[in-house]
Amino acid sequence: MIPVHMPPEEELQTGDTGETPAGLNVLVLDAAPMMRAATCRLLEHLGCVAYQAESGPEALQAVEAEEIDVVLLDLVIPGTDVEQTFFELVRREGAPKVVLMSGYAQSARSEALLQGGALGFLAKPYDIETLQTSLMSSVLARAHQYADGLAARTRGRRSAAAVEQGRLLCDDHPRGYGHRV
C-alpha cells in the first residue's frame, strides 16, 4: 500500500502556470479506496468533476454513463485485466484520454500501453502540481484530436465540393465532356 499524505485544504496549491484543468470529468480507477479518495480530493480542488471506480467493469460502466474526459488508470488492480480495460476504453467513440498510474517504476507493460495510446505515466505518490500537469497534457491532446477531426471533416467537404464543381463544368460542355477541375 502506498502512503497518502494529504495536506490541509488551505495548503493545497496548484502550480504557478495559471492553467487549470477545471471542468474536466476525470475517472479515477484504482483498487485502493484511500488513494481514490485522495486523488478525487486533489481533482476537485483543481476544479474537476471526479468519479471513482475500483474495477475495470465499474470503470467501463462509468464511461458509458458519463462524459469522461480523462481516466487515471492504476496498473495494479486485483481481479481486473488492466490491459483489456485500457483497450476497451480507448476503442470507444469519443474515447477518454488515459493516464497510467502506478506505485512501481515504468515497465514493459506500461510501455506497451503507452505505445497503445495512453497519454502518460503518473508515478505514485504524486503531488497536485504533477497531477495538474498530467491533466493539462490530456486537455491539449484532446484539443489537438478535436482540431484534427475538424480539419479532416473540412477537407472532406472541400474535396466533395471540388468534385461536384468539376462534374458541373464537364456537364456544361456542349459535347458533354471537358476537363475536370
Side-chain angles (χ1 to χ4, degrees):
M1 175 154 322
I2 297 170
V4 178
H5 168 70
M6 289 298 299
E9 189 72 32
E10 61 274 2
E11 290 181 26
L12 285 174
Q13 295 189 10
T14 58
D16 56 8
T17 63
E19 297 177 347
T20 65
L24 281 181
N25 291 332
V26 182
L27 174 64
V28 180
L29 175 50
D30 196 315
M34 283 181 49
M35 194 69 195
R36 279 196 319 269
T39 301
C40 286
R41 183 172 167 208
L42 290 174
L43 290 167
E44 288 166 355
H45 181 77
L46 289 171
C48 298
V49 178
Y51 299 87
Q52 297 184 38
E54 63 179 324
S55 69
E58 191 177 325
L60 294 170
Q61 287 175 352
V63 168
E64 191 70 31
E66 303 293 335
E67 288 188 31
I68 302 295
D69 299 303
V70 180
V71 175
L72 299 177
L73 174 62
D74 189 18
L75 290 175
V76 180
I77 303 173
T80 293
D81 182 338
V82 173
E83 289 84 357
Q84 179 183 350
T85 300
F86 170 78
F87 286 112
E88 286 186 37
L89 286 168
V90 299
R91 286 186 189 130
R92 293 176 177 268
E93 180 73 26
K97 296 298 177 191
V98 178
V99 176
L100 308 173
M101 304 185 298
S102 181
Y104 302 101
Q106 279 188 259
S107 62
R109 179 179 179 204
S110 60
E111 288 299 323
L113 294 176
L114 287 165
Q115 292 295 320
L119 186 63
F121 182 89
L122 193 55
K124 293 180 187 178
Y126 43 82
D127 58 21
I128 194 165
E129 287 93 8
T130 305
L131 182 59
Q132 179 181 9
T133 300
S134 181
L135 291 173
M136 288 310 298
S137 295
S138 67
V139 168
L140 292 173
R142 199 151 186 81
H144 287 292
Q145 180 182 25
Y146 174 78
D148 290 347
L150 185 60
R153 286 191 299 276
T154 302
R155 277 193 305 275
R157 282 196 298 268
R158 285 184 188 154
S159 298
V163 167
E164 185 61 29
Q165 183 181 15
R167 186 176 306 121
L168 292 173
L169 289 174
C170 291
D171 291 345
D172 287 345
H173 194 278
R175 294 198 177 150
Y177 61 86
H179 299 308
R180 291 209 178 258
V181 177

